[in-house]
């Protein structure tokens, strides 16, 4: 006699009776649909909409789901498509009860809260497809088990800006990843995180859509199910902001039900066009006053420039455009046009597409476009032209241990054959060669460099705690541990930046406003010049502060010079005899340090006000000026600076200029990332650094040399990134994104300096984007890891150009 096995509906109704609750109509409907599929010999999949389930409905549903392992249900999909509040503990219990039969989980985590998100990220899920829309996290940190997951959709997670270094280690089978309209922007950290995904074949940061001239249809991406594709084609949905593909493109992809890509995008991606939510990150970051203009521009840049829909791009258009330099494509159908939709800011980096293709050789589809052999070849060539895989052109990662062993072996050979063998630079075996090798190895193993804010708060002076607001800073020229910074309140503070101990403190005494100009003397390393925006100019001896002294310093240990109105810059010549001051005028003043007198004022040196004046590092009479009149000029005091030695022009106003340490070059930085290197001998253009502009006329850019004159570092006041480029080739080595102390808080670059004593070290004066936030000095060490990135330097990996056989 056959035993009747109760259906899912019957089991659920029985469980409801035991718990004394009425059956939920949505759950009954889900069970009924599953039974219909079972009777039709179709794949039996159960789809549950959590939105329709109240707390009282969960216990009987859990009873049924506990026994799914013994049922004929092959897979369970859980969907949550509203932001109504749901009990996160019940939802987690339901997922655990379904266990290995959990296939698709689609969540709006605003419904569940932060605790739910933390549990999912730290414990993991057994699902194969996870779609998560969240405004709760800004750095992706997945540490739980996601062994079954092949598709992860993080589209419209509007707070997501970066990754923990090992966030993808827990999902070795992930094939498809989508992060449209997030705030991901750093190419280097993104590639470092994604390289931990051995199975990744499809990646999306935007939709690059082919637009048919006759009719454009809207679909979510390659990876729609057959039913969805048929629905879209039969109804001819007009393009309203999602991925646009021609009907012929659908045949390029496999839309079978068993293909993991078929679950990459659910149909709600086609119909849900809600604008991203702007999240207010509350913080107590202090007192730094940022203008309303800056805040408006930042929000505009974040949600307008990055996420705007760009004009259609012709297939034959030059690759150097705002789509990230996508390679030109030709097909049998002729010229095609592509339109980006819902782009993350990383897509607006120059050569974005080539960088991703060259760095992730296993990738097959990027932003809906398949990667062909010609794309790989072009990406390899483009990468080698515009990027450095490792410092100093190193092609492969090496471990520091191997380099040390090779150096010791070579040293022992040199001792034996010291009279016969003299290694040359070209042979690549000098100590200079090994120093560069160490740098290449260490930088290559620390994609997430060590960032350490200099502790300037809580310093006790005179029995009270002081909170400083730095506005300018300079490294000491001969003592590697010292740094001086001036504050918005007119204070001058000398600090040991290694021990974070204050060495000297000079109060403003009501005589100074914001300190904008600082310069150490070289032959007298205890002395420095400080100038403020109200024109005050003083020379201090930090060894005499607070002591009685004789001579021109008097008892206060300082000399006061004639004021220079609206001062912005001061600089001392190489012999410590003279210094120059410039400001919001067309004039430059020359001062004699020994007697404290102003010698002369040179008038009308530019057509606009002079932002920065700099002496050469070795010639005491040569100096350069940069102005918003778009000119950089070199002058010689020996020739009475009436006519410049030369004039070099840029297309925008010049923010600053500086000499290379050997005075061979002048580095000129104009508004909005126009950075050029000039030959100091005659002003000829030597190199233009390929940095994308933002379109802002107030994006003031500053650049300095690092590692002598080997590299330059560049940052701008409306961006949170420091760019590092080779000073000889212009190739980009690395971008470093600044992150604030609180989650998701962004910072912009006010000033920056390369450490003169330590290779690949620098400091950045950064301020928060948020009004009423204080600025801080951040020390950056590219040779050390931040601690959350795994150090895999002992695992050699070829550079992208070699991985594709070029």
């Amino acid at each position: 006699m056959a035993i009747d096995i109760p259906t899912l509906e019957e089991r659920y109704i029985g469980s409801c009776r035991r718990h004394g609750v009425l059956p939920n109509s949505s759950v009954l409907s889900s069970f009924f649909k599953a039974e219909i599929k079972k009777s039709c010999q179709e794949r039996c999949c159960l789809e549950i909409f959590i939105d329709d389930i109240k707390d009282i409905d969960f216990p009987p549903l859990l009873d049924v789901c506990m026994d799914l392992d013994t049922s004929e249900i092959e897979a369970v999909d859980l969907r949550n498509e509203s932001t109504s509040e749901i009990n996160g503990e019940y939802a987690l219990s339901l997922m655990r009860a379904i266990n290995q039969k959990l296939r698709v989980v689609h969540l709006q985590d605003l419904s569940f809260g932060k605790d739910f998100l933390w549990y999912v990220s730290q414990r993991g899920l057994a699902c194969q497809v996870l779609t998560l829309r969240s405004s709760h996290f800004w750095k992706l940190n997945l540490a739980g088990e996601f062994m079954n997951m092949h598709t992860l959709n993080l589209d419209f997670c509007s707070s997501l800006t970066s990754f923990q270094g090992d966030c993808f280690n827990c999902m070795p089978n992930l094939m498809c990843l989508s992060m449209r309209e997030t705030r991901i922007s750093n190419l280097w950290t993104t590639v470092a995180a994604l390289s931990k995904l051995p199975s990744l074949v499809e990646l999306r940061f935007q939709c690059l859509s082919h637009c048919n001239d006759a009719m454009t249809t809207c679909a979510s991406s390659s990876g729609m199910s057959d039913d969805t594709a048929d629905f879209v084609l039969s109804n001819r949905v007009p393009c309203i902001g999602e991925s646009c593909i021609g009907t012929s493109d659908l045949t390029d992809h496999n839309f079978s039900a068993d293909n993991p890509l078929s679950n990459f995008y659910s149909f709600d991606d086609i119909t849900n066009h809600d604008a991203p939510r702007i999240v207010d990150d509350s913080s107590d970051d202090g007192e730094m006053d940022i203008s309303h203009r800056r805040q408006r521009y930042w929000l505009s840049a974040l949600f307008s420039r990055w996420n705007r829909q760009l004009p259609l791009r012709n297939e034959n258009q030059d690759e150097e455009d705002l789509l990230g330099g996508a390679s030109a494509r030709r097909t049998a159908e002729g010229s095609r046009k592509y339109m980006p939709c819902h782009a993350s800011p990383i897509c607006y980096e120059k050569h974005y597409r080539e960088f991703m293709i060259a760095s992730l050789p296993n990738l097959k589809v990027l932003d809906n476009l398949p990667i062909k052999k010609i794309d790989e070849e072009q990406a390899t060539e483009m990468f080698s032209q515009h990027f450095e895989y490792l410092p100093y052109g190193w092609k492969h990662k090496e471990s520091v241990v191997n380099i040390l062993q090779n150096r010791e072996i070579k040293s022992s050979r040199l001792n034996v054959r010291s009279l016969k063998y003299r290694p040359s630079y070209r042979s690549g075996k000098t100590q200079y060669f090994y120093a560069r090798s160490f740098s290449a190895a260490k930088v290559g193993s620390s994609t997430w460099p060590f960032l350490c804010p200099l502790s300037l708060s809580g310093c006790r002076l005179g029995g009270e705690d002081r909170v400083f607001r730095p506005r300018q800073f300079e490294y000491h020229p001969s003592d590697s541990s010292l740094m001086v910074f001036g504050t918005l309140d007119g204070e001058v503070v000398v600090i040991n930046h290694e021990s974070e101990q204050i060495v000297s403190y000079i109060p403003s005494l009501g005589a100074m406003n914001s300190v904008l100009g600082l310069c150490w003397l070289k032959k007298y390393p205890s002395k420095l010049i400080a100038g403020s925006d109200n024109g005050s100019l003083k020379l201090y001896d930090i060894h005499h502060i607070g002591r009685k002294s004789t001579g021109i310093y008097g008892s206060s240990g300082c000399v006061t010079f004639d004021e220079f109105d609206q001062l912005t810059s001061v600089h001392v010549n190489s012999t410590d005899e003279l210094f120059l001051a410039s400001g919001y005028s067309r004039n430059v003043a020359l001062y004699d340090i020994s007697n404290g007198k102003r010698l002369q004022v040179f008038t009308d040196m530019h057509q606009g006000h002079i932002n920065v004046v700099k002496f050469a590092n070795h010639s005491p009479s040569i100096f350069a000026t940069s102005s918003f009149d778009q000119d950089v000029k070199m002058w010689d005091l020996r020739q009475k600076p009436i006519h410049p030695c030369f004039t070099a022009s840029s297309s925008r106003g010049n923010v600053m200029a500086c000499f290379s340490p050997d005075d061979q070059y002048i580095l000129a930085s104009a508004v909005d990332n126009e950075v050029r290197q000039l030959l100091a001998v005659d002003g000829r253009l030597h190199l233009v650094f390929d940095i994308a502009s933002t379109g802002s006329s107030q994006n003031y850019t500053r650049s300095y040399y690092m590692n002598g004159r080997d590299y330059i570092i560049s940052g701008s006041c409306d961006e949170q990134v420091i760019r590092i480029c080779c000073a000889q080739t212009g190739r980009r080595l690395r971008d470093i994104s600044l992150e604030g102390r609180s989650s998701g808080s962004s910072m912009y670059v006010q000033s920056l300096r390369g450490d003169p004593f330590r290779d690949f070290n620098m400091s950045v004066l950064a301020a928060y984007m948020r009004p009423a936030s204080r600025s801080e000095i951040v020390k950056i060490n590219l040779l050390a890891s931040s601690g959350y990135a795994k150090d895999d330097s002992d695992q050699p990996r070829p550079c992208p150009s070699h991985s594709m056989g070029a």
Side-chain angles (χ1 to χ4, degrees), residues 316-514:
N316 299 318
Q317 184 177 340
D318 190 287
E319 65 252 14
E320 308 242 350
D321 59 14
L322 288 178
L323 290 185
S327 303
R329 296 168 171 272
R330 289 187 178 274
T331 65
E333 304 150 63
S335 178
R336 293 190 178 190
K337 295 181 180 179
Y338 295 93
M339 183 180 70
C341 301
H342 298 294
S344 295
I346 193 172
C347 304
Y348 296 92
E349 289 291 332
K350 280 193 172 183
H351 316 297
Y352 147 76
R353 183 171 177 84
E354 286 81 4
F355 189 96
M356 301 300 288
I357 293 173
S359 303
L360 301 171
N362 294 328
L363 210 58
K364 303 302 180 186
V365 179
L366 177 61
D367 298 332
N368 290 18
L369 299 182
I371 299 171
K372 301 178 181 179
K373 183 65 177 179
I374 188 173
D375 297 323
E376 295 177 351
E377 294 171 352
Q378 291 175 347
T380 299
E381 181 180 358
M382 190 68 68
F383 188 99
S384 64
Q385 290 178 3
H386 296 279
F387 300 99
E388 276 194 353
Y389 176 63
L390 291 172
Y392 298 112
W394 253 241
K395 300 299 183 182
H396 298 272
K397 287 187 177 182
E398 295 186 58
S399 71
V400 173
V401 173
N402 290 340
I403 297 171
L404 286 171
Q405 289 175 342
N406 290 334
R407 186 182 68 172
E408 294 305 316
I409 292 172
K410 179 59 66 178
S411 298
S412 63
R413 290 176 180 174
L414 288 176
N415 291 334
V416 174
R417 299 186 296 170
S418 59
L419 297 178
K420 297 181 180 180
Y421 177 73
R422 291 291 185 271
S424 65
Y425 172 74
R426 290 186 179 180
S427 71
K429 301 303 179 184
T430 62
Q431 290 303 312
Y432 191 50
F433 166 85
Y434 287 112
R436 286 183 163 185
S437 299
F438 290 137
S439 294
K442 291 181 178 180
V443 171
S445 65
S446 56
T447 304
W448 285 264
F450 183 75
L451 278 68
C452 177
L454 192 61
S455 178
L456 302 178
S457 61
C459 299
R460 296 190 62 83
L461 290 170
E464 63 178 18
D465 291 340
R466 298 288 302 176
V467 177
F468 297 112
R469 302 189 298 162
R471 179 58 185 85
Q472 188 58 279
F473 76 98
E474 293 286 350
Y475 283 100
H476 194 279
S478 57
D479 189 332
S480 63
S481 66
L482 293 186
M483 174 190 292
V484 62
F485 66 87
T487 72
L488 292 167
D489 303 306
E491 304 154 304
V492 177
V493 184
V494 179
I495 188 170
N496 185 320
H497 62 87
E498 296 174 353
S499 64
E500 298 187 340
Q501 299 297 314
I502 291 179
V503 176
S504 295
Y505 171 72
I506 304 167
S508 64
L509 301 177
M512 302 182 77
N513 290 341
S514 298

Side-chain angles (χ1 to χ4, degrees), residues 27 29 66 114 129-130 133 272 276 288 294 303 310 348 403 449 454 465 539 559 608 719 774:
V27 175
S29 176
M66 290 285 189
K114 293 182 179 180
V129 179
L130 174 61
R133 294 191 180 179
N272 189 336
M288 175 64 185
R294 186 177 306 286
F303 293 110
L310 298 176
Y348 296 92
I403 297 171
L454 192 61
D465 291 340
L539 183 146
V559 178
E719 299 180 88
R774 64 177 179 268

Side-chain angles (χ1 to χ4, degrees), residues 19 117 217 242 292 312 318 334 408 411 428 479 520 531 560 569 617:
H19 287 276
L117 178 65
T217 58
E242 290 288 331
H292 294 295
L312 297 184
D318 190 287
E408 294 305 316
S411 298
D479 189 332
W520 291 96
T560 300
S569 171
N617 294 299

